[in-house]
Amino acid sequence: MEKGLRSKNRNIIKISDAEIPFFERFVKKYNIVWSYEERQENLISISTSYVGYIVTPVRKINLSPKYDEIGFEHIFRMYLYVYSYQKTDDNSILDISNSNKEVDIANIFLKSVEKNIQQGIYQSYSKILKDVSAIKGKIRYAKTYQNYLLNKHNYVSSYISSLEKNNNINNLIVSALVKLRKIKKYTAKVSSLLMYYQGVSGDVLDGTKALSEIVFNSNTSRFKQTLTYASMIIDQLDFDNVGNTLGTESFLLNFDKLFEDFVAKILTTIPKKKEFLVWSSTRDYGVIQRSNGLIENREYLPDIVYRYVEEDENMNYFPT
């Protein structure tokens, strides 16, 4: 694994001629400005806000955190805390093993999935409509009587509870596995793991949203780390796929944004007196009327709000 040089707030990476087509696709995917001067010198600079790794057809480039005191194990723990940890959870859910000190989110996730399979794949109860020969479940009496008159062998129409793997937990796991299967070095292992999850849809496109919608309990908390890694893979990992060849992966995480969310969650959840707020959408700041008669709205969205009091627009705030 190679590291780029660091200059001020940028990681400077020297690239070979063979890597130029890859980075031309890479900068488009991540909306990174690649200046003409850098291209001519076979250089590319990436903001130090990004941490993770880039896998080109030639090598793997490690983008380390911009602070020496911060390692990838801290970043994974922060991600776990921000996007899945609840106050009712055991603190051990945030424990990070030594293997997490190297940033390889795919391998960490696959090892976690293997551990979950050994401990038992999560299955949930669901009610299915089925015609059976004996009375069980929640019976549909009218339909059952109709089937009886028609002399059907399985005449009892009933909603029966059954265990199935196709649930929101396994769906998130399978969605990440399906994405990793497109990367050559993981294809064989992922294909073997997917055999344990037959029948699971695997159609999650927004990992963070899917993770936030899962309600954990004592039976499902053991999947929390696995699901967090799955969420990161779905949202942050990208692969370069050229023609019919299987691609290579890049994993980039915006550490500055993660740290902002980390601080905001601490301030909004830990203090007993709730004085900090985070807004989910912009608020109106004012209206500007231009000299040409055009009216423009101004909105704002602070990172965090302290002791905010909603104003009553019907009240007169001018001095009396």
Side-chain angles (χ1 to χ4, degrees), residues 215-263:
V215 179
F216 291 94
N217 55 41
S218 58
N219 293 325
T220 58
S221 60
R222 65 186 175 94
F223 298 99
K224 214 162 200 180
Q225 284 193 8
T226 305
L227 295 175
T228 303
Y229 299 142
S231 170
M232 295 172 78
I233 287 171
I234 292 169
D235 293 346
Q236 312 295 341
L237 185 138
D238 200 2
F239 63 92
D240 185 60
N241 196 8
V242 184
N244 294 324
T245 61
L246 292 169
T248 56
E249 87 278 15
S250 297
F251 175 76
L252 294 181
L253 190 91
N254 190 325
F255 175 76
D256 289 351
K257 178 64 168 60
L258 175 63
F259 188 74
E260 287 178 7
D261 293 343
F262 176 70
V263 173

Side-chain angles (χ1 to χ4, degrees), residues 87-228:
K87 290 194 295 184
T88 54
D89 290 337
D90 191 296
N91 289 336
S92 62
I93 200 71
L94 296 174
D95 289 345
I96 301 296
S97 64
N98 291 334
S99 62
N100 297 91
K101 293 186 178 181
E102 290 188 6
V103 56
D104 193 332
I105 186 65
N107 275 326
I108 295 170
F109 169 66
L110 293 176
K111 289 178 182 178
S112 188
V113 172
E114 288 176 332
K115 181 178 178 181
N116 289 153
I117 291 174
Q118 291 172 359
Q119 294 174 342
I121 294 175
Y122 176 67
Q123 297 185 72
S124 58
Y125 279 100
S126 64
K127 292 185 179 296
I128 59 172
L129 181 60
K130 192 173 182 180
D131 290 341
V132 294
S133 59
I135 295 176
K136 62 173 67 175
K138 186 178 179 181
I139 300 170
R140 300 166 72 206
Y141 290 99
K143 183 64 177 177
T144 297
Y145 183 63
Q146 182 182 5
N147 289 342
Y148 178 76
L149 294 177
L150 293 172
N151 200 29
K152 289 186 176 181
H153 176 68
N154 294 327
Y155 63 88
V156 179
S157 179
S158 177
Y159 287 102
I160 300 174
S161 295
S162 64
L163 284 171
E164 66 171 33
K165 297 178 183 178
N166 193 20
N167 49 62
N168 53 2
I169 287 178
N170 292 333
N171 193 20
L172 186 54
I173 292 173
V174 169
S175 299
L177 287 172
V178 168
K179 189 170 185 178
L180 288 179
R181 187 170 56 183
K182 298 175 182 177
I183 301 169
K184 186 175 182 179
K185 65 179 178 180
Y186 302 124
T187 303
K189 177 178 259 188
V190 168
S191 296
S192 65
L193 292 176
L194 283 171
M195 293 177 64
Y196 293 94
Y197 293 94
Q198 292 183 7
V200 180
S201 52
D203 55 2
V204 174
L205 299 177
D206 188 333
T208 302
K209 180 181 178 183
L211 179 62
S212 66
E213 292 174 349
I214 295 175
V215 179
F216 291 94
N217 55 41
S218 58
N219 293 325
T220 58
S221 60
R222 65 186 175 94
F223 298 99
K224 214 162 200 180
Q225 284 193 8
T226 305
L227 295 175
T228 303

Side-chain angles (χ1 to χ4, degrees), residues 24-41:
E24 286 176 341
R25 297 186 296 272
F26 176 84
V27 295
K28 288 180 180 178
K29 285 182 180 179
Y30 288 95
N31 197 27
I32 294 173
V33 176
W34 194 8
S35 69
Y36 175 80
E37 293 78 10
E38 288 180 350
R39 287 172 184 259
Q40 293 302 304
E41 297 295 329

